[in-house]
Amino acid sequence: MASRTQATTTAHEHSEASVLTNDSAPKQAEVQMQRSGPRRSKYRHVAAYHSQLRHSSLSRDSDVTPSFMGFRNLMVLVLVAMNLRLIIENFMKYGVLICIKCHDYRKQDLVLGSILFALVPCHLILAYIIELSAASSAKKVVGEQKKKSDEEKERDQQAFRSTWPYTAFLHTVNATLCLAVTSFVVYFYIHHPGIGTLCQLHAIIVWLKNCSYAFTNRDLRLAFLNPSADPGLPEIYATCPYPRNVTIDNLTYFWLAPTLVYQPVYPRTASIRWSFVAKRLAEFVGLAVFIWLLSAQYAAPVLRNSIDKIATMDIASILERVMKLSTISLIIWLAGFFALFQALLNALAEVMRFGDREFYTDWWNSSSLGGYWRSWNRPVYSFMKRHVFSPLVGRGWSPLAASGMVFTLSAILHEMLVGIPTHNFIGVAFFGMMFQLPLIAFTAPLEKMRDPLGKTVGNCIFWVSFCLVGQPLGALLYFFAWQAKYGSVSRM
Amino acid sequence: MASRTQATTTAHEHSEASVLTNDSAPKQAEVQMQRSGPRRSKYRHVAAYHSQLRHSSLSRDSDVTPSFMGFRNLMVLVLVAMNLRLIIENFMKYGVLICIKCHDYRKQDLVLGSILFALVPCHLILAYIIELSAASSAKKVVGEQKKKSDEEKERDQQAFRSTWPYTAFLHTVNATLCLAVTSFVVYFYIHHPGIGTLCQLHAIIVWLKNCSYAFTNRDLRLAFLNPSADPGLPEIYATCPYPRNVTIDNLTYFWLAPTLVYQPVYPRTASIRWSFVAKRLAEFVGLAVFIWLLSAQYAAPVLRNSIDKIATMDIASILERVMKLSTISLIIWLAGFFALFQALLNALAEVMRFGDREFYTDWWNSSSLGGYWRSWNRPVYSFMKRHVFSPLVGRGWSPLAASGMVFTLSAILHEMLVGIPTHNFIGVAFFGMMFQLPLIAFTAPLEKMRDPLGKTVGNCIFWVSFCLVGQPLGALLYFFAWQAKYGSVSRM
């Protein structure tokens, strides 16, 4: 960077009115000539342009490595040019494929989807009722304890605790129903994969919130029943101690807030900036339209053209198709990430005055797959860490085994999210997630290297495995399975 | 950069045995839990993951802009993937197009080319003879001056100077013949464009050397005849004052040295590192083969496919072809630059113990077209500056007019170098060079901006105008003209 600055400054200092005067060696010569007075014009041809030993700047002999910022600009330009060319090629081949009226869905899909969207949050209300009864029992036990002896206290607590398995059972049935009913309806009765995915995503989010709500309240109740010992509760909860948090308002806030981790109290912002909300929503809508255009005009033909190649297992062609698809799926992925995690979640957080906006950290710099999974989706990461990983480690599991459990659960949820709406339980999403574990183990040493090269290699492995191969290949396989089952992308 | 380092260091410090333990917020929670003692396992689910106000790192609210180094890696990877795909596509379409035996040239081309290669340097010897006679006359005049009166001295010098136009005339005839004969033979009798280009390039280089030799010696002679005044000659020339420099050895060194600017004395290195020479030659050969493979396998089909589009003036298709060609021509250009200016000229300089290896500076960072032309080809730039620009400015021309003259001369030479071997004086190279003048004027203000954005824009204009549009378009037009004239690329 320093050499770059130096180089441009030098060029700047010497720049004069004309093209050919910006140079230090001729400058010296000129000064020399001016000194020699009247013969100036006659001696122009003798200046010593080669007056000292100098190295080519790309040679190893050279002391200063030149800046290569220009090549960064060139890379961006070549990427733009290559993709512009593909856009022209695409239009010459296919014309305009975007068609608003062509989008077709069965009325049944919409009706069922709406019913599911309305039903799923009801399970949260059931969870609230379960918690409310548990809380009132707990209050009674604690209220009566003041008058009783230690022995009686102990007996009461034991009696109360014996009811806990029922609470846990009710929560489990409630949460499982939420997920099972939705999955069943989507798999068997909702044909359109888009509507199906939305329903399934909603159900999974509510299921996770349900779990977090139940687990957190159980521990809070435990702390409530043992007031003598240091409760070890976070200071932020002090403003709303158990069981005052078990209210319908508190639960509604958790339902709508952009988090999967239940806390009685969250950090809150002072006010809602509606202009901020409007900007984020405009970003979301713009990107959604952008993604739709890209999918219809670019991704769809590539996917369609690749069906024959997969059917005949033509490896070179499949590779070529995956590579062609990788650029477009990468752009869709990046746009989708920004639309959801930056635009939509920030808009939601602003409306909810939810203070912690760390929905992601700089995952694009991840130098290992582990780093990526820790940083790209913080809501899910936080849930897994708080309700799966930490408790398992607390029970004596090794961190490795606990991580395995986290990824297994995550793999099941991913397969449910992709396999059910596409009506194909082919396991690609499941095994794709499980395959992360060896990749994480493989790239972990690279992340810890002091040499920046190690980190760069780790980062490249992440991009290649995840974005350039994993995603387009997954999309291709689910698309192929869909085609094999239904013969056509949509019921056009 | 700072934030990147910080981010990775933090990740590094917290990295533990497992995937899910690298996080600062849970870390605090863990510490808190450990403090609370035996109930640790029961309180895992209450940790406050949202304990403070935080912004999304891509939000404007965020204080720290995250590093985007990961996206640089991604760009490189996408470029590699896109080009790998094009390679696969190319092989699936065309198979292997590389064919050593298919290269055909007429025997006459080789014979004539060899004769030209032998004849052209003879003009340098003629230039030497002209200079030798002028030098001996000058010596005689100076030698006799010691015994004569001032008036006689003046008369002698005037008499001698009256012979100068003859010297100039002889040099002009000699140099022009060198270029004219080669151009004539190449245009009319050498069919193969490769052999033609080599002959033409050689003739132009020797012509430039010839001019520099004549101009420099004229000024040195002038200084020799006026010993009283401060000669204003560079100090480096002191070891070989005029007319001791007019020897066949001195001229041979200039002929072979990697410069177009004649100096009686050059900075020299102490010894020849033969390993350095071998490495540079290996680079040159490797890159030459690489360029040949690229041209045959990738550039040739694109050029061939574009003929119909140019013939029917299908603008969208021509644009698509230029863009497709631009990537490959850019790679060939970069490889060719490195092969010639870094590998070949450095090897030659090492063998000649030529000390000044500044054959180019960091032209890839140029933030204006003027900057590019000053930095990419230092030998020609030095020649133009010393023998065209500075003398014209010395005669009172404005720098702008002198620059115009330089680019006009350069444009003529470029057209001779491209138009003659391809047997098509279509003027694209000429007007391409002349078009640099408005581009230079347009980008000059960008270069002078303090804002780095201005420089980046200037750099992008340079890349687009020169490498992404100018060169592929030029190549396409000369190829089209060739096809129109001969109907086939080679006489296969």
Side-chain angles (χ1 to χ4, degrees):
Chain A
M1 287 301 249
S3 68
R4 158 79 177 164
T5 319
Q6 199 186 357
T8 51
T9 317
T10 314
H12 186 75
E13 284 169 2
H14 291 284
S15 71
E16 287 169 24
S18 150
V19 181
L20 287 169
T21 43
N22 302 11
D23 194 44
S24 54
K27 194 97 184 177
Q28 293 163 5
E30 214 123 327
V31 169
Q32 209 165 29
M33 282 173 229
Q34 279 165 356
R35 235 189 281 129
S36 63
R39 291 189 322 281
R40 193 183 156 184
S41 63
K42 289 175 188 163
Y43 283 78
R44 289 275 163 174
H45 295 284
V46 297
Y49 279 58
H50 304 291
S51 54
Q52 56 192 346
L53 296 178
R54 282 188 291 201
H55 295 295
S56 300
S57 56
L58 294 175
S59 286
R60 284 199 178 195
D61 304 325
S62 180
D63 309 323
V64 192
T65 311
S67 152
F68 292 107
M69 288 299 273
F71 285 117
R72 187 207 54 179
N73 299 336
L74 177 63
M75 280 203 300
V76 175
L77 290 171
V78 169
L79 272 178
V80 170
M82 287 184 82
N83 283 296
L84 257 181
R85 188 188 78 77
L86 289 177
I87 289 174
I88 296 175
E89 198 185 62
N90 172 287
F91 274 103
M92 294 198 311
K93 254 192 189 164
Y94 304 112
V96 177
L97 294 175
I98 294 151
C99 168
I100 297 176
K101 287 183 191 161
C102 304
H103 271 259
D104 201 13
Y105 42 80
R106 302 187 309 188
K107 206 176 173 187
Q108 183 193 333
D109 290 358
L110 263 196
V111 172
L112 283 177
S114 308
I115 295 174
L116 284 180
F117 253 80
L119 276 184
V120 162
C122 296
H123 290 276
L124 271 178
I125 297 175
L126 291 180
Y128 162 70
I129 293 168
I130 299 167
E131 279 306 317
L132 197 65
S133 88
S136 73
S137 306
K139 264 192 281 188
K140 216 166 67 186
V141 171
V142 171
E144 287 169 1
Q145 278 189 342
K146 287 170 194 162
K147 318 163 210 161
K148 291 184 179 172
S149 68
D150 280 4
E151 204 177 308
E152 281 172 322
K153 273 184 199 175
E154 191 60 32
R155 213 180 45 228
D156 272 12
Q157 283 217 7
Q158 292 235 329
F160 176 58
R161 276 189 203 172
S162 67
T163 66
W164 286 27
Y166 300 107
T167 311
F169 175 74
L170 286 174
H171 271 307
T172 309
V173 168
N174 178 40
T176 309
L177 257 181
C178 159
L179 207 52
V181 168
T182 306
S183 300
F184 180 82
V185 172
V186 169
Y187 192 82
F188 289 104
Y189 300 104
I190 296 185
H191 180 78
H192 195 282
I195 298 172
T197 304
L198 280 181
C199 293
Q200 196 66 15
L201 183 64
H202 183 218
I204 289 175
I205 288 171
V206 171
W207 183 76
L208 290 172
K209 290 199 187 218
N210 233 327
C211 294
S212 183
Y213 190 68
F215 281 130
T216 310
N217 274 314
R218 190 201 65 183
D219 274 8
L220 287 174
R221 196 159 53 241
L222 213 62
F224 176 68
L225 290 171
N226 296 281
S228 53
D230 171 21
L233 293 180
E235 282 173 29
I236 189 174
Y237 297 177
T239 55
C240 183
Y242 188 89
R244 270 170 46 199
N245 69 309
V246 187
T247 66
I248 196 80
D249 275 7
N250 186 289
L251 177 62
T252 308
Y253 185 83
F254 173 54
W255 170 39
L256 296 173
T259 178
L260 299 172
V261 165
Y262 175 69
Q263 292 182 194
V265 184
Y266 292 101
R268 302 284 291 271
T269 55
S271 62
I272 303 174
R273 295 167 295 170
W274 287 106
S275 66
F276 181 91
V277 176
K279 278 183 212 158
R280 296 295 85 76
L281 286 180
E283 282 172 3
F284 178 76
V285 171
L287 283 168
V289 171
F290 176 70
I291 290 172
W292 170 58
L293 295 181
L294 282 182
S295 310
Q297 184 72 41
Y298 301 103
V302 178
L303 284 169
R304 245 176 259 131
N305 292 343
S306 55
I307 292 297
D308 303 341
K309 326 279 181 187
I310 300 184
T312 57
M313 285 304 280
D314 178 352
I315 297 295
S317 299
I318 294 177
L319 201 65
E320 192 267 345
R321 288 289 96 180
V322 167
M323 280 173 165
K324 178 128 193 180
L325 199 57
S326 69
T327 315
I328 196 75
S329 81
L330 177 66
I331 294 172
I332 291 177
W333 163 255
L334 292 177
F337 164 78
F338 196 91
L340 278 182
F341 284 80
Q342 170 65 15
L344 192 65
L345 289 190
N346 261 297
L348 182 59
E350 188 70 25
V351 170
M352 300 302 292
R353 291 178 35 233
F354 188 80
D356 186 358
R357 311 283 171 89
E358 204 190 56
F359 306 119
Y360 57 87
T361 55
D362 60 338
W363 56 267
W364 47 88
N365 296 325
S366 305
S367 46
S368 73
L369 268 294
Y372 170 71
W373 290 109
R374 278 192 298 276
S375 53
W376 96 271
N377 187 335
R378 298 290 289 188
V380 167
Y381 165 73
S382 300
F383 178 91
M384 292 294 184
K385 174 126 176 78
R386 197 205 211 198
H387 298 302
V388 183
F389 183 81
S390 291
L392 288 179
V393 169
R395 281 169 183 238
W397 287 42
S398 73
L400 200 69
S403 295
M405 191 63 200
V406 166
F407 274 86
T408 308
L409 177 60
S410 177
I412 293 169
L413 291 178
H414 272 87
E415 185 67 37
M416 286 180 81
L417 189 58
V418 183
I420 289 179
T422 57
H423 314 285
N424 274 296
F425 259 124
I426 56 175
V428 171
F430 180 85
F431 289 107
M433 277 307 290
M434 294 311 281
F435 184 59
Q436 297 306 309
L437 285 169
L439 272 180
I440 288 166
F442 179 70
T443 51
L446 293 170
E447 188 178 31
K448 285 171 195 159
M449 274 190 192
R450 280 184 184 278
D451 185 7
L453 183 69
K455 292 197 204 314
T456 304
V457 171
N459 187 244
C460 289
I461 292 175
F462 150 63
W463 284 115
V464 169
S465 67
F466 189 71
C467 289
L468 297 187
V469 176
Q471 288 207 42
L473 194 63
L476 215 57
L477 292 173
Y478 278 100
F479 183 80
F480 181 70
W482 175 281
Q483 288 279 339
K485 198 165 177 178
Y486 299 103
S488 154
V489 192
S490 70
R491 303 185 151 248
M492 286 189 248
Chain B
M1 290 300 247
S3 70
R4 159 78 174 165
T5 319
Q6 198 186 357
T8 50
T9 318
T10 313
H12 186 75
E13 283 170 3
H14 291 283
S15 72
E16 286 168 27
S18 149
V19 181
L20 287 169
T21 44
N22 300 10
D23 194 44
S24 53
K27 193 96 185 177
Q28 292 163 6
E30 215 125 325
V31 170
Q32 213 166 27
M33 282 174 231
Q34 278 164 358
R35 236 188 280 132
S36 63
R39 288 191 324 282
R40 193 183 155 185
S41 62
K42 290 175 187 164
Y43 284 77
R44 289 274 162 175
H45 296 284
V46 297
Y49 279 60
H50 304 292
S51 55
Q52 55 192 345
L53 296 178
R54 282 187 291 200
H55 296 295
S56 300
S57 57
L58 294 175
S59 286
R60 286 199 177 192
D61 303 325
S62 180
D63 309 323
V64 192
T65 312
S67 152
F68 293 107
M69 288 299 273
F71 285 118
R72 188 207 55 182
N73 300 335
L74 177 63
M75 281 204 300
V76 176
L77 290 171
V78 169
L79 272 178
V80 169
M82 287 184 82
N83 283 296
L84 256 181
R85 187 188 79 78
L86 289 177
I87 290 174
I88 295 175
E89 197 184 62
N90 172 285
F91 273 102
M92 293 199 310
K93 253 190 189 164
Y94 304 113
V96 177
L97 294 175
I98 293 150
C99 168
I100 297 176
K101 285 182 194 161
C102 303
H103 271 258
D104 200 13
Y105 41 80
R106 301 186 311 187
K107 206 176 175 188
Q108 182 192 333
D109 290 0
L110 263 196
V111 172
L112 284 176
S114 308
I115 294 174
L116 283 180
F117 252 81
L119 275 184
V120 162
C122 296
H123 289 276
L124 271 178
I125 298 174
L126 291 179
Y128 163 69
I129 293 168
I130 299 167
E131 279 307 317
L132 197 64
S133 87
S136 71
S137 309
K139 263 193 279 190
K140 216 163 68 190
V141 171
V142 171
E144 286 167 2
Q145 276 187 343
K146 287 171 192 162
K147 315 161 209 163
K148 290 183 183 171
S149 68
D150 279 4
E151 204 179 306
E152 279 174 319
K153 273 185 196 174
E154 191 59 34
R155 211 181 49 228
D156 273 11
Q157 282 218 5
Q158 291 234 328
F160 176 59
R161 276 192 203 171
S162 68
T163 66
W164 285 28
Y166 300 107
T167 312
F169 176 74
L170 286 175
H171 270 307
T172 309
V173 169
N174 178 40
T176 309
L177 258 181
C178 159
L179 206 52
V181 168
T182 305
S183 299
F184 181 81
V185 173
V186 169
Y187 193 81
F188 289 105
Y189 299 105
I190 296 186
H191 179 77
H192 195 282
I195 298 173
T197 304
L198 280 181
C199 292
Q200 195 67 13
L201 183 64
H202 183 219
I204 289 175
I205 290 172
V206 170
W207 183 76
L208 291 171
K209 291 199 186 219
N210 232 327
C211 294
S212 183
Y213 190 69
F215 280 130
T216 310
N217 274 314
R218 191 200 64 183
D219 274 10
L220 288 174
R221 193 157 55 241
L222 212 64
F224 175 67
L225 291 171
N226 295 281
S228 53
D230 170 18
L233 293 180
E235 282 172 29
I236 191 174
Y237 296 178
T239 55
C240 183
Y242 188 87
R244 268 172 44 199
N245 69 310
V246 186
T247 65
I248 195 80
D249 275 8
N250 186 290
L251 177 61
T252 308
Y253 186 83
F254 174 53
W255 172 39
L256 296 173
T259 178
L260 299 172
V261 165
Y262 176 69
Q263 290 182 196
V265 184
Y266 292 102
R268 302 285 291 270
T269 55
S271 62
I272 303 173
R273 295 167 296 171
W274 288 106
S275 67
F276 181 91
V277 176
K279 277 182 214 158
R280 297 295 85 75
L281 286 180
E283 282 171 4
F284 179 75
V285 172
L287 283 169
V289 171
F290 175 70
I291 290 171
W292 170 58
L293 295 181
L294 281 183
S295 310
Q297 184 71 40
Y298 300 102
V302 178
L303 284 169
R304 245 177 259 133
N305 291 344
S306 55
I307 293 298
D308 303 341
K309 326 279 181 188
I310 300 185
T312 56
M313 286 303 281
D314 178 353
I315 297 294
S317 299
I318 294 177
L319 200 66
E320 192 267 344
R321 288 289 96 182
V322 167
M323 280 174 165
K324 178 128 193 180
L325 199 57
S326 69
T327 315
I328 195 74
S329 83
L330 177 66
I331 295 172
I332 291 178
W333 162 256
L334 291 177
F337 163 79
F338 195 90
L340 278 181
F341 283 80
Q342 170 65 15
L344 192 65
L345 288 189
N346 261 298
L348 182 59
E350 187 70 24
V351 170
M352 300 302 293
R353 292 177 35 233
F354 188 80
D356 185 358
R357 310 284 171 89
E358 205 191 57
F359 307 119
Y360 57 88
T361 55
D362 60 338
W363 58 266
W364 48 88
N365 297 326
S366 304
S367 46
S368 72
L369 268 295
Y372 169 71
W373 291 109
R374 280 192 298 276
S375 53
W376 94 272
N377 186 336
R378 298 291 289 188
V380 166
Y381 166 72
S382 300
F383 177 91
M384 291 294 183
K385 173 127 177 80
R386 197 207 212 197
H387 297 301
V388 183
F389 183 82
S390 290
L392 288 180
V393 169
R395 280 167 185 240
W397 287 41
S398 73
L400 200 70
S403 294
M405 191 65 200
V406 165
F407 274 85
T408 309
L409 176 60
S410 177
I412 294 169
L413 292 177
H414 271 87
E415 185 67 37
M416 286 181 80
L417 189 58
V418 184
I420 289 178
T422 57
H423 314 285
N424 275 296
F425 259 125
I426 56 175
V428 171
F430 180 84
F431 289 108
M433 278 307 289
M434 294 311 281
F435 183 59
Q436 298 306 310
L437 285 169
L439 272 182
I440 288 167
F442 179 70
T443 51
L446 292 171
E447 187 178 31
K448 284 169 195 160
M449 275 188 191
R450 279 183 183 280
D451 185 6
L453 183 69
K455 291 198 208 308
T456 304
V457 171
N459 187 246
C460 288
I461 292 175
F462 150 64
W463 284 116
V464 169
S465 67
F466 189 71
C467 289
L468 297 187
V469 175
Q471 288 208 43
L473 194 63
L476 214 58
L477 292 173
Y478 278 100
F479 183 81
F480 181 70
W482 174 282
Q483 288 280 339
K485 198 166 177 178
Y486 299 103
S488 154
V489 192
S490 71
R491 301 182 153 250
M492 288 188 247

